[in-house]
Amino acid sequence: MEGFNDLIHQQVRLRIMAALNALPPGAEVDFTTLRSIIEVTDGNLGAHLRKLEDAGYIKVRKTFVGRRPRTYIALTPNGRAAFEEHIAALKTIISGEE
Amino acid sequence: MDAQISPRQAEEALTLAKEAAKQMRRALETGTSWAYLVIWGVIWTLGFLGNQFLTPKHAGTAWMVLDGFGILLSFGLGVYYGQRVRYQIGAQMAIFWGAWLVYSTVVVWVSHPINAMQTGLLITVLAMFAYVVIGIWARSPFLGWLGVGITACTLAGYYFTPLYFNFVMALTGLALAAGGLYMRLGWK
């Protein structure tokens, strides 16, 4: 199936990608906000984010706000394209076309 | 890649994705809007009750203190929320409210309302126009319709029940705060 993406299809990663895809282009969200939407532990979210980052689908930016470390996550153009292709592939499977 | 999933599994995955996207959109839409509505709704209610029960001089002072408090709190919230989600519209929103403040001051100064009731009417209509614009801009029908509804109540209060205008406005302030609480608690 063209466009189907095993890396993205994993449940937590699929939700991460869908949530990030809903951000306006160029926007980034902080780790805490994303965690509250995905509802997983810090460690679990961190592990999935690393896999997506390694694939070039997301960009992780670490910074400091005052003295507090903060992590921002955004979808890359590649990630957006891969996610949209994956969603299109899912729709094709549902409609029964190959 | 080879998809080894059934149409049913694909449908479940699609539902999960849609739900996550919906939650993110809701988080963006709600943001701190709910808190602004509560803060300004309460300030509005207290201010208009002040118009009703205090002398004009004391009511004016009360408005200045309440507005100053509201502006400081709103600024703090904007800074806090800006650390959670960074996107262009957030900065544009701050610029929009800055421009709104300047233009509203000019409009009130030029139109020179003759009493506190007309001043209240003018500022309320201007504020609700801003909510309607933001509702359209941020694709939030709730904020837009809240603005339209409160404008209608304000005009009705001014023209049909002028004697109770301050009470009507205090109630619309409560409606604003209730709208904020509804956004926060009802949108899960």
Side-chain angles (χ1 to χ4, degrees):
Chain A
M1 171 62 60
E2 200 181 332
F4 187 89
N5 190 315
D6 279 324
L7 183 81
I8 293 177
H9 190 66
Q10 196 279 339
Q11 270 198 16
V12 176
R13 289 195 288 272
L14 179 70
R15 290 168 60 220
I16 292 170
M17 293 293 284
L20 293 176
N21 190 54
L23 286 170
E28 50 185 10
V29 66
D30 83 329
F31 187 90
T32 313
T33 305
L34 185 61
R35 188 193 57 200
S36 70
I37 289 169
I38 306 299
E39 292 176 329
V40 288
T41 62
D42 283 9
N44 198 351
L45 181 59
H48 287 297
L49 289 178
R50 264 191 300 279
K51 286 189 180 176
L52 292 169
E53 189 183 18
D54 289 345
Y57 293 160
I58 62 165
K59 191 174 67 182
V60 177
R61 187 171 67 88
K62 292 178 192 290
T63 186
F64 279 87
V65 176
R67 288 183 179 180
R68 288 183 169 183
R70 216 171 258 267
T71 304
Y72 291 99
I73 304 114
L75 212 53
T76 63
N78 272 350
R80 202 174 286 273
F83 176 73
E84 281 166 6
E85 281 174 17
H86 183 67
I87 293 297
L90 290 177
K91 286 178 179 169
T92 306
I93 293 170
I94 294 167
S95 67
E97 296 166 19
E98 278 288 337
Chain B
M1 288 183 198
D2 191 23
Q4 301 286 336
I5 64 168
S6 65
R8 187 194 169 97
Q9 286 171 317
E11 203 160 343
E12 284 169 0
L14 208 54
T15 306
L16 273 180
K18 279 181 185 166
E19 189 54 37
K22 187 176 154 192
Q23 282 178 11
M24 177 60 88
R25 276 194 292 271
R26 182 70 25 109
L28 289 178
E29 192 178 16
T30 310
T32 48
S33 299
W34 72 272
Y36 289 122
L37 288 175
V38 171
I39 291 167
W40 287 101
V42 170
I43 286 174
W44 191 312
T45 301
L46 293 175
F48 279 104
L49 287 178
N51 280 2
Q52 183 66 33
F53 295 112
L54 300 176
T55 61
K57 188 185 170 188
H58 285 119
T61 308
W63 270 116
M64 278 205 297
V65 171
L66 287 166
D67 285 342
F69 180 68
I71 288 168
L72 278 178
L73 216 53
S74 300
F75 181 73
L77 265 175
V79 170
Y80 168 74
Y81 188 65
Q83 292 169 4
R84 292 177 60 203
V85 181
R86 288 173 184 267
Y87 63 132
Q88 196 59 31
I89 200 170
Q92 289 171 347
M93 201 75 86
I95 295 167
F96 170 78
W97 278 113
W100 177 86
L101 195 64
V102 171
Y103 273 80
S104 296
T105 307
V106 170
V107 167
V108 172
W109 184 63
V110 170
S111 60
H112 204 69
I114 53 168
N115 55 34
M117 197 162 84
Q118 280 195 353
T119 308
L121 172 77
L122 196 55
I123 292 173
T124 305
V125 169
L126 286 169
M128 289 307 108
F129 176 64
Y131 274 102
V132 172
V133 170
I134 289 171
I136 295 166
W137 183 18
R139 295 176 190 173
S140 171
F142 180 77
L143 277 183
W145 284 113
L146 190 68
V148 170
I150 290 181
T151 304
C153 290
T154 303
L155 291 172
Y158 182 80
Y159 287 108
F160 299 126
T161 56
L163 288 177
Y164 303 103
F165 181 70
N166 288 324
F167 286 118
V168 172
M169 294 314 294
L171 281 177
T172 59
L174 284 182
L176 212 58
L181 287 176
Y182 171 70
M183 278 178 101
R184 180 75 179 105
L185 304 172
W187 289 8
K188 286 283 179 190

